[in-house]
Amino acid sequence: MKNIRNFCIIAHIDHGKSTLADRLLELTKTLSERDMEAQVLDNMDLEREKGITIKSHAIQMEYVRGGEKYILNLIDTPGHVDFSYEVSRSIASCEGALLVVDATQGVQAQTISNLYMAVDHGLEIIPVMNKIDMDSAQPEVVADEIAELLGCNPEEVYRVSARTGDGVAPLLDAIVDKIPAPKGDPNAPLQALIFDSVFNPFRGIIAYFKVFNGAIKAGDKVKFVATGMEYDAEEIGVLKMKLHPTAEVSAGNVGYIISGIKNAVEVKVGDTITKVDEPCEKAIAGFEEVKPMVFAGMYPVQADKFEELRTTLEKFQLNDASFTFEPESSLALGFGFRCGFLGLLHLEIVQERLYREFGMDVITTVPNVSYKVYSTQGQVIDVHNPSGLPAPTLIDHIEEPYIRAQIISKSEFYGPIMKLCLDKRGTLIGQHYVTADRVELNYDIPLSEIVFDFYDKLKSISKGYASFDYHIIDYRSARLVKLDILLNGEPADALSTLIHEDHAYEFGRKICLKLKELIPRQQFDIAIQAAIGAKIIARETVRQVRKDVTAKCYGGDVTRKRKLLEKQKEGKKRMRQIGTVQVPQSAFMAVLKLDS
């Protein structure tokens, strides 16, 4: 056990952690040159296309130094704020972390929040400055920033270039020397923490775990503590690039278990594995329960695919434990699910993965956050969906979630960023200069204001320099109204939103204009209206497709023409009563991009 080292790499998005992982795999000869490719741990097509890590990956390396063999378990982590749950799980399974900072960009908001998470878990931090070979690198400035953040000397920061491989070799020695070996008793009853799971259509569910105490052997009868289910460990092993079966995995090590589990609900990330005949006294205190921030409805394109969508979402939840869902129904879209996400990028990735990995095409409704509604009878109702709002006469007041946003940017963008936050109903809490030309701003902002386009706007006004991180702080009272969209007098509940009173008129007008462009013309006029309660605040009309019925009347009395027009008018009226308005999927998505 003294030769095992478990560590993760934490960094802001795009600071080069996947490339650094590649170099470590090369140096330890874990992969042959033939198998090596760029960002080898990012094995999803989507990760490669977008250049981000979505899922944390575990891999075992062997490193020989001075005749002694060390086992290094690396758990790669995502960098985007929407995937911070994956990071928390990796940190729970490690004793140390490499903190990677880009020498061209310096310390960013997500770097700080991931660092705090690692420090809270008592991890040994090794500071690494990457991309020192770039022309725009500022190694001295960035080293001072890291030193100030960690309270170490700037000379203690390892300087590497993951692209060229410069300075990566001393990093392996640092991992061996500085990161403590895992603690645990190999002879105690088995106690292992599940930190991830994947679904394999042929072998069932594969659970990844870290053994804290005891050892697990192939053929053991094991029990999952939280669910109380018992299984035979058909195959266990360690995680190389592919699954590598072994006879046993003992304390301090990371491995996987295959026990033929077919039902997705039976494996919970954060659960403890123990043996049936010799159980451990108590479960491992897992990482915190995930709280979804953004909610959206997902509906199958064909109504009869509802059960298929349910099965798909259950399988998907194994790959992504931060995703939650529950059934709901809508007048316009039929039966579907109310899904919880950690942010808008997460929503976009989930939708794309459902389509690519499971061939499931879904309609997604307008995302919104969860509100607390206090009724006049003194009840508190959690509302995730505008259609679940009680009648206005029964509402005493509504509270919405607030976040504490931490924005780090170059000081030249200070003005535009402040204006953006104020437009989003933000309150300035504090500001301080990290360095001479970089400022950190702390704002309290309603979560609903950052759900749509806050991050995109922040990136564009700061030319991509600003970094953003947030955490929920509390619920505060707000003047919110329910904005309904009516199509020919019928409410389209999938387009309803809860919105602040001051923004309702402008938002209603924009939605009506957008829908006018997107809804195809029919044989009858379509009235698109935005309403608050019984009050209509905006209206647009999609004109009917007209045919000139009087074209065949040449000459003759005007009454002949009028008779034909009246006949057409009757037909249009009847058509309007029985005709339905089809809202295309693009209309639901367009609401998200109203300002662009």
Side-chain angles (χ1 to χ4, degrees):
M1 221 166 108
K2 68 180 194 328
N3 286 6
I4 296 177
R5 300 288 182 272
N6 299 317
F7 69 101
C8 58
I9 303 179
I10 53 178
H12 191 80
I13 189 167
D14 206 24
H15 279 203
K17 56 192 164 312
S18 297
T19 314
L20 180 61
D22 288 355
R23 297 293 85 78
L24 293 173
L25 293 174
E26 268 177 14
L27 281 171
T28 54
K29 300 188 171 52
T30 304
L31 288 184
S32 62
E33 282 182 24
R34 194 183 66 184
D35 293 335
M36 201 63 210
E37 55 181 342
Q39 280 94 31
V40 68
L41 292 180
D42 291 349
N43 53 10
M44 249 185 259
D45 292 345
L46 207 54
E47 291 180 315
R48 294 179 173 281
E49 279 168 34
K50 290 185 178 282
I52 58 175
T53 305
I54 294 168
K55 190 108 182 71
S56 49
H57 297 273
I59 190 161
Q60 189 175 90
M61 303 177 278
E62 290 177 1
Y63 177 52
V64 179
R65 189 181 77 168
E68 249 189 295
K69 188 167 89 171
Y70 292 90
I71 290 174
L72 311 180
N73 287 312
L74 159 66
I75 302 177
D76 184 29
T77 64
H80 195 280
V81 60
D82 276 15
F83 304 109
S84 55
Y85 183 62
E86 293 274 337
V87 182
S88 76
R89 293 169 13 188
S90 304
I91 286 174
S93 317
C94 295
E95 282 81 37
L98 299 182
L99 178 75
V100 179
V101 178
D102 186 333
T104 62
Q105 296 182 42
V107 172
Q108 308 260 291
Q110 193 61 32
T111 318
I112 295 173
S113 76
N114 284 346
L115 171 69
Y116 286 160
M117 207 189 292
V119 171
D120 285 348
H121 279 76
L123 268 62
E124 180 64 41
I125 310 289
I126 298 176
V128 181
M129 179 166 44
N130 190 18
K131 305 193 187 180
I132 53 166
D133 59 318
M134 305 280 278
D135 295 338
S136 56
Q138 302 170 296
E140 301 312 321
V141 177
V142 176
D144 286 342
E145 275 183 40
I146 300 171
E148 193 179 325
L149 185 64
L150 288 174
C152 63
N153 290 325
E155 294 76 49
E156 291 174 33
V157 178
Y158 287 82
R159 300 175 183 214
V160 304
S161 164
R163 192 165 55 103
T164 61
D166 281 356
V168 179
L171 215 49
L172 281 169
D173 291 331
I175 291 166
V176 170
D177 296 335
K178 294 191 175 178
I179 293 176
K183 296 180 178 68
D185 181 358
N187 302 315
L190 172 68
Q191 201 182 26
L193 174 79
I194 299 177
F195 66 86
D196 206 355
S197 59
V198 291
F199 181 78
N200 182 311
F202 305 107
R203 311 204 59 182
I205 292 154
I206 304 171
Y208 298 158
F209 60 82
K210 182 198 171 187
V211 183
F212 279 71
N213 290 309
I216 180 169
K217 298 185 179 67
D220 278 350
K221 203 159 178 57
V222 295
K223 176 181 172 184
F224 288 16
V225 177
T227 55
M229 307 293 273
E230 297 179 2
Y231 308 100
D232 290 319
E234 290 171 14
E235 179 181 310
I236 58 156
V238 293
L239 300 151
K240 296 282 176 88
M241 199 58 220
K242 295 186 172 64
L243 301 178
H244 192 78
T246 56
E248 79 165 353
V249 177
S250 63
N253 219 337
V254 175
Y256 70 89
I257 177 169
I258 299 176
S259 45
I261 306 168
K262 291 287 187 284
N263 189 354
V265 191
E266 292 173 26
V267 177
K268 288 192 168 31
V269 169
D271 197 355
T272 303
I273 306 176
T274 188
K275 288 186 185 171
V276 174
D277 52 1
E278 194 186 0
C280 58
E281 287 176 18
K282 61 179 195 299
I284 299 163
F287 20 85
E288 67 269 20
E289 272 293 303
V290 58
K291 290 188 184 68
M293 298 292 157
V294 176
F295 294 87
M298 278 194 172
Y299 295 85
V301 177
Q302 284 107 11
D304 57 349
K305 295 262 179 90
F306 173 73
E307 281 303 326
E308 196 180 318
L309 178 60
R310 183 200 293 273
T311 317
T312 303
L313 292 181
E314 280 178 0
K315 287 178 188 169
F316 182 80
Q317 203 173 22
L318 284 170
N319 285 322
D320 187 347
S322 54
F323 168 76
T324 61
F325 66 94
E326 56 186 44
E328 71 161 6
S329 64
S330 147
L331 293 171
L333 299 168
F335 291 103
F337 295 92
R338 189 93 199 140
C339 303
F341 307 91
L342 295 179
L344 269 195
L345 176 72
H346 190 204
L347 186 154
E348 197 182 309
I349 295 289
V350 168
Q351 205 175 345
E352 188 69 24
R353 282 182 67 188
L354 285 174
Y355 181 65
R356 290 191 188 194
E357 294 172 26
F358 299 95
M360 197 79 221
D361 216 353
V362 291
I363 294 174
T364 312
T365 64
V366 182
N368 58 295
V369 301
S370 140
Y371 298 92
K372 286 193 188 301
V373 178
Y374 289 80
S375 70
T376 45
Q377 280 97 29
Q379 292 173 306
V380 183
I381 309 158
D382 278 334
V383 174
H384 303 316
N385 188 345
S387 59
L389 203 65
T393 49
L394 300 174
I395 297 173
D396 181 48
H397 68 282
I398 302 176
E399 289 188 351
E400 62 178 340
Y402 264 70
I403 59 147
R404 174 70 49 85
Q406 179 190 38
I407 299 164
I408 298 180
S409 169
K410 289 200 163 180
S411 45
E412 61 194 87
F413 307 118
Y414 183 83
I417 289 173
M418 284 192 81
K419 183 180 181 306
L420 172 68
C421 292
L422 289 171
D423 288 348
K424 297 286 185 186
R425 299 192 281 134
T427 316
L428 181 64
I429 298 301
Q431 62 184 54
H432 76 273
Y433 281 82
V434 185
T435 61
D437 66 337
R438 296 185 60 200
V439 65
E440 179 188 320
L441 297 169
N442 289 305
Y443 269 91
D444 282 0
I445 307 178
L447 179 61
S448 56
E449 295 286 349
I450 66 156
V451 162
F452 288 128
D453 52 3
F454 180 82
Y455 194 57
D456 298 345
K457 280 186 172 170
L458 180 68
K459 281 291 183 199
S460 58
I461 61 176
S462 65
K463 302 198 171 108
Y465 275 110
S467 63
F468 168 66
D469 187 44
Y470 66 88
H471 59 272
I472 277 273
I473 45 173
D474 55 12
Y475 280 76
R476 297 181 192 176
S477 190
R479 301 196 330 273
L480 297 170
V481 291
K482 182 184 173 194
L483 182 73
D484 285 315
I485 301 297
L486 310 176
L487 300 174
N488 275 347
E490 291 292 318
D493 60 349
L495 290 168
S496 306
T497 49
L498 271 174
I499 191 163
H500 196 266
E501 217 172 279
D502 299 348
H503 299 177
Y505 284 81
E506 188 189 353
F507 189 73
R509 200 178 69 248
K510 281 183 182 169
I511 283 195
C512 290
L513 281 166
K514 198 76 178 171
L515 289 176
K516 184 184 178 182
E517 291 168 26
L518 293 165
I519 291 178
R521 289 170 73 187
Q522 311 254 10
Q523 297 279 324
F524 53 91
D525 279 354
I526 301 169
I528 303 168
Q529 295 165 310
I532 297 172
K535 185 180 178 188
I536 304 293
I537 58 169
R539 172 184 170 130
E540 293 293 333
T541 308
V542 179
R543 286 280 165 226
Q544 60 193 1
V545 182
R546 297 184 67 110
K547 177 184 169 192
D548 189 356
V549 289
T550 60
K552 59 179 182 283
C553 290
Y554 46 91
D557 190 6
V558 72
T559 52
R560 286 183 61 198
K561 289 186 180 178
R562 188 156 297 136
K563 185 177 158 193
L564 279 171
L565 287 169
E566 286 297 326
K567 192 173 167 188
Q568 185 192 35
K569 195 171 163 188
E570 282 298 314
K572 296 271 187 198
K573 202 183 205 171
R574 194 163 66 248
M575 202 179 280
R576 186 180 166 167
Q577 284 167 357
I578 60 166
T580 55
V581 182
Q582 294 295 325
V583 184
Q585 163 71 7
S586 56
F588 295 111
M589 295 317 289
V591 178
L592 308 183
K593 302 184 176 70
L594 271 183
D595 290 351
S596 49

